[in-house]
């Protein structure tokens, strides 16, 4: 990462189903075919700032929408990852695209999988980068760092406490300091998380992501405890998993398990890569979009 964080591009706001507002940012080459990228949990359209320069150099275009209830996108009532499907169609229509590549980072995984199942004719390719997968078995999470395991349990048992933990408020205020929990993370992520540029990006991204509160993040984390209504085997679009073998947030066992469920899917392991491997090596993703 460079020492100077690029300025976020202008936010575009469109009208979605039922008059809902959908906000997104576009990164990279404005003349290239767009790929739609779903941010992590919690997060926002500003997650793309980290990929802005690399996307421009590679001649690709990345569309980062705020998912429902994050940043500038209105919530969708109810639960379930299918709640984003109509936003996906609205974005494609707005961009003038019949089909597009769909990318998910971390907590965006369930939403991308659901959209690919529901609308395979509108997905060129599905790329899951360090992505969470709904319903992954307990054994797939072997090696997960304890603080993340406890967060996911607390979110289910006591949502208000989980919300404070995620936001770093109340008794969890000290958790907003990277030094207080840095040692728990794999070396690859510690190196990224200790840089000033990452901290600036993280503050920008998560502050915008939780602008409407923590309900969207709590819904995300709760949803990953349960499988999608349709089996993963029903995913019929070309699918690629990109995952670091040192990921302590979403362990690589999750990707291995999900990869085995989808016929023809490819799994690309990033050696010694942590959960934030795209911050160090965006080319891993951009090569798949070339």
């Amino acid at each position: 990462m460079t020492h100077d964080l690029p300025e976020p591009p202008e936010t575009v706001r469109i009208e979605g189903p039922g008059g809902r507002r959908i906000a997104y940012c576009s990164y990279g080459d404005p003349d290239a075919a767009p790929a739609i990228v779903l941010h992590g949990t919690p997060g926002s359209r500003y997650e793309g700032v980290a990929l802005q320069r690399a996307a421009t150099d590679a001649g690709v275009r990345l569309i980062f929408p705020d998912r429902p209830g994050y940043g500038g996108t209105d919530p969708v009532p109810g639960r379930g990852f299918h709640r984003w499907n109509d936003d996906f169609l609205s974005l494609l229509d707005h961009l003038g695209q019949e089909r597009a590549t769909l990318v998910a980072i971390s907590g965006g995984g369930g939403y991308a999988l659901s959209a690919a199942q529901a609308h395979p004719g509108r997905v060129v390719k599905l790329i899951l980068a360090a992505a969470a997968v709904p319903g992954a078995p307990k054994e797939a999470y072997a090696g997960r760092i304890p603080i993340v395991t406890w967060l996911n349990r607390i979110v289910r048992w006591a949502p208000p406490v989980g919300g404070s933990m995620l936001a770093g408020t109340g008794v969890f205020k000290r958790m907003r300091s990277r030094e207080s929990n840095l040692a728990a993370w794999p070396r690859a992520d510690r190196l990224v998380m200790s840089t000033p540029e990452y901290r600036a990006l993280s503050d920008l991204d998560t502050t915008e992501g939780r602008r409407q509160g923590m309900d969207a993040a709590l819904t995300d984390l709760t949803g990953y405890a349960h499988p999608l209504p349709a089996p993963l085997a029903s995913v019929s679009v070309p699918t690629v998993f990109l995952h670091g073998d040192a990921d302590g947030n979403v362990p690589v066992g999750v990707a291995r398990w999900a990869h085995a469920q989808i016929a023809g899917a490819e799994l690309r392991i990033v050696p010694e890569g942590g959960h934030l491997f795209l911050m160090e090596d965006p080319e891993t993703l951009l090569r798949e979009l070339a």
Side-chain angles (χ1 to χ4, degrees):
M1 294 179 63
T2 60
H3 290 285
D4 297 318
L5 196 66
E7 285 294 320
E10 180 182 358
T11 295
V12 179
R13 292 177 172 83
I14 66 172
E15 185 174 306
R20 289 177 51 257
R21 295 168 298 177
I22 300 172
Y24 75 85
C25 283
S26 177
Y27 301 90
D29 183 352
D31 297 321
I36 296 176
V37 188
L38 299 182
H39 61 76
T41 301
S44 75
R45 64 193 182 277
Y46 292 151
E47 198 168 287
V49 170
L51 304 176
Q52 185 168 342
R53 290 197 180 105
T56 301
D57 292 344
V60 304
R61 184 184 182 194
L62 306 176
I63 303 296
F64 271 77
D66 287 332
R67 295 195 272 106
Y70 289 97
T73 294
D74 289 335
V76 177
R79 297 182 179 275
F81 297 106
H82 67 280
R83 294 175 302 116
W84 185 74
N85 291 359
D86 287 342
D87 284 12
F88 174 53
L89 300 182
S90 294
L91 280 165
L92 286 177
D93 293 344
H94 164 76
L95 294 166
Q97 302 293 314
E98 180 61 30
R99 306 165 71 228
T101 294
L102 184 55
V103 182
I105 299 172
S106 191
Y111 295 89
L113 283 163
S114 178
Q117 287 177 328
H119 303 289
R122 305 205 70 175
V123 179
V124 174
K125 184 179 186 180
L126 176 63
I127 302 174
L128 298 157
V133 179
K138 183 178 179 180
E139 54 268 25
Y141 287 97
R144 192 178 222 183
I145 60 177
I147 193 171
V148 178
T149 298
W150 277 105
L151 170 62
N152 281 268
R153 290 175 180 171
I154 290 169
V155 162
R156 297 196 297 273
W157 296 339
V161 178
S164 293
M165 193 174 179
L166 271 171
T169 57
V171 297
F172 301 105
K173 187 173 183 179
R174 283 188 303 171
M175 293 180 64
R176 298 182 67 178
S177 168
R178 296 294 172 190
E179 288 81 1
S180 66
N181 62 10
L182 201 60
W185 293 84
R187 180 177 182 274
D189 285 336
R190 292 200 308 269
L191 293 175
V192 173
M193 294 165 72
S194 62
T195 62
E197 50 271 23
Y198 172 77
R199 296 182 187 192
L201 173 61
S202 179
D203 286 345
L204 172 71
D205 181 38
T206 58
T207 297
E208 178 62 17
R210 60 177 179 250
R211 181 151 62 92
Q212 299 183 57
M214 300 307 298
D215 285 353
L218 294 174
T219 298
D220 280 3
L221 296 184
T222 301
Y224 280 104
H226 309 284
L228 294 166
L232 288 180
S234 68
V235 174
S236 60
V237 303
T239 302
V240 177
F241 290 86
L242 307 176
H243 220 101
D245 62 7
D247 192 332
N249 189 332
V250 181
V252 68
V254 172
R256 294 188 191 280
W257 171 81
H259 162 255
Q261 314 300 309
I262 301 174
E266 299 178 69
L267 173 61
R268 309 202 203 292
I269 301 295
V270 180
E272 300 182 6
H275 193 62
L276 304 173
F277 73 85
L278 287 180
M279 303 286 288
E280 286 194 301
D281 183 20
E283 294 300 321
T284 306
L285 170 62
L286 299 178
R287 281 192 294 270
E288 299 293 334
L289 298 173

